[in-house]
C-alpha cells in the first residue's frame, strides 16, 4: 500500500463510497497528494472537531473497520489558515510563509463547499482508532500552539506532519 493521503475541495462532506466516485470526480476540484504524512499546511485547515470516521468498504473483511478522515466547510478552513498566518510567519520566516500564503490563495480560488482529506491508506497502517487519536491530539496541540502565539510542534503533531522531532521548520 502506498500510504498516501489526498486533499481536495469538494461538495462532498465525507469520502465517497464505491458507487460515488463518478459524482465525486464531477463535484471536486484539484486533488493534492502527500505520502506518509499530512502536511502541516493541510493540518492548519482543521480543528479537532473536523476529525470524522468513515467505514472501509471491504467485502472480504471479517468485521467492518472505520478510519479517520478530515473534513470541514471550506470557509472555516480558510478562516483557520488566516488566523494562524501570524504564528506561521514567526515559525517559518518570510520566504517559507510566502508558500503558506500561496497555499491559502489556491484553496480560496476553489468554488467547492468543503475541504476533505482522505486518509484511508495512512489509517490502515495502524491499529484501528490510532490515527483518529493522533489527529485529535495533534490538532488540539496545534490549536494550543497557535493560541499561545508560538508554534511548537508536539511529537504527535510532528509525526502527523512528517516533520523530524524535535522539529526544525527552517
Amino acid at each position: 500500500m502506498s500510504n498516501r493521503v489526498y486533499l481536495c475541495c469538494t461538495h462532498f462532506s465525507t469520502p465517497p463510497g464505491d458507487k460515488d466516485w463518478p459524482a465525486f470526480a464531477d463535484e471536486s476540484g484539484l486533488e493534492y497528494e502527500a505520502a506518509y504524512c499530512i502536511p502541516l499546511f493541510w493540518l492548519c485547515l482543521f480543528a479537532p472537531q473536523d476529525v470524522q470516521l468513515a467505514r472501509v468498504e471491504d467485502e472480504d473483511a471479517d468485521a467492518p473497520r472505520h478510519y479517520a478522515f478530515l473534513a470541514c466547510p471550506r470557509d472555516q478552513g480558510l478562516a483557520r489558515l488566516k488566523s494562524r498566518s501570524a504564528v506561521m510567519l514567526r515559525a517559518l520566516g518570510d520566504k517559507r510563509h510566502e508558500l503558506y500564503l500561496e497555499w491559502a490563495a489556491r484553496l480560496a480560488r476553489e468554488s467547492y463547499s468543503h475541504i476533505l482529506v482522505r486518509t484511508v491508506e495512512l489509517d490502515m497502517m495502524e491499529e484501528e482508532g490510532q490515527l483518529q487519536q493522533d489527529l485529535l491530539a495533534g490538532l488540539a496541540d496545534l490549536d494550543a500552539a497557535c493560541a499561545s502565539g508560538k508554534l511548537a510542534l508536539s511529537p504527535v503533531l510532528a509525526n502527523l506532519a512528517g516533520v523530524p522531532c524535535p522539529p526544525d521548520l527552517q
Side-chain angles (χ1 to χ4, degrees):
M1 193 169 279
S2 60
N3 303 320
R4 304 245 183 239
V5 294
Y6 307 91
L7 179 143
C8 67
C9 291
T10 180
H11 286 312
F12 278 60
S13 60
T14 61
D18 286 343
K19 297 175 185 171
D20 299 326
W21 284 102
F24 183 77
D26 290 342
E27 297 182 32
S28 300
L30 288 175
E31 183 172 82
Y32 300 89
E33 179 180 320
Y36 304 109
C37 69
I38 304 171
L40 180 60
F41 290 4
W42 295 17
L43 290 169
C44 285
L45 291 158
F46 300 100
Q49 66 267 23
D50 300 323
V51 178
Q52 300 177 47
L53 292 176
R55 184 176 173 180
V56 175
E57 294 182 16
D58 185 357
E59 294 174 4
D60 297 330
D62 294 334
R65 179 179 166 136
H66 292 83
Y67 68 95
F69 69 93
L70 297 166
C72 70
R74 186 180 63 89
D75 292 342
Q76 286 181 7
L78 291 172
R80 282 191 198 102
L81 286 179
K82 185 176 180 180
S83 72
R84 293 172 172 170
S85 183
V87 172
M88 295 301 287
L89 174 60
R90 285 191 292 280
L92 300 172
D94 289 332
K95 201 169 202 177
R96 286 185 180 82
H97 186 254
E98 288 177 26
L99 297 172
Y100 183 83
L101 296 176
E102 180 184 315
W103 173 244
R106 280 180 186 223
L107 295 179
R109 287 190 296 269
E110 292 281 352
S111 61
Y112 299 93
S113 60
H114 285 80
I115 299 173
L116 174 68
V117 178
R118 300 187 332 269
T119 61
V120 66
E121 292 178 25
L122 191 61
D123 191 288
M124 297 306 264
M125 300 312 296
E126 300 283 344
E127 292 295 319
E128 185 172 2
Q130 185 62 52
L131 182 60
Q132 179 187 20
Q133 291 174 5
D134 289 349
L135 286 169
L136 290 168
L139 291 171
D141 292 345
L142 181 59
D143 279 350
C146 289
S148 76
K150 183 175 186 247
L151 184 63
L153 297 185
S154 67
V156 69
L157 184 56
N159 185 51
L160 282 170
V163 176
C165 198
D168 178 11
L169 296 178
Q170 296 301 318

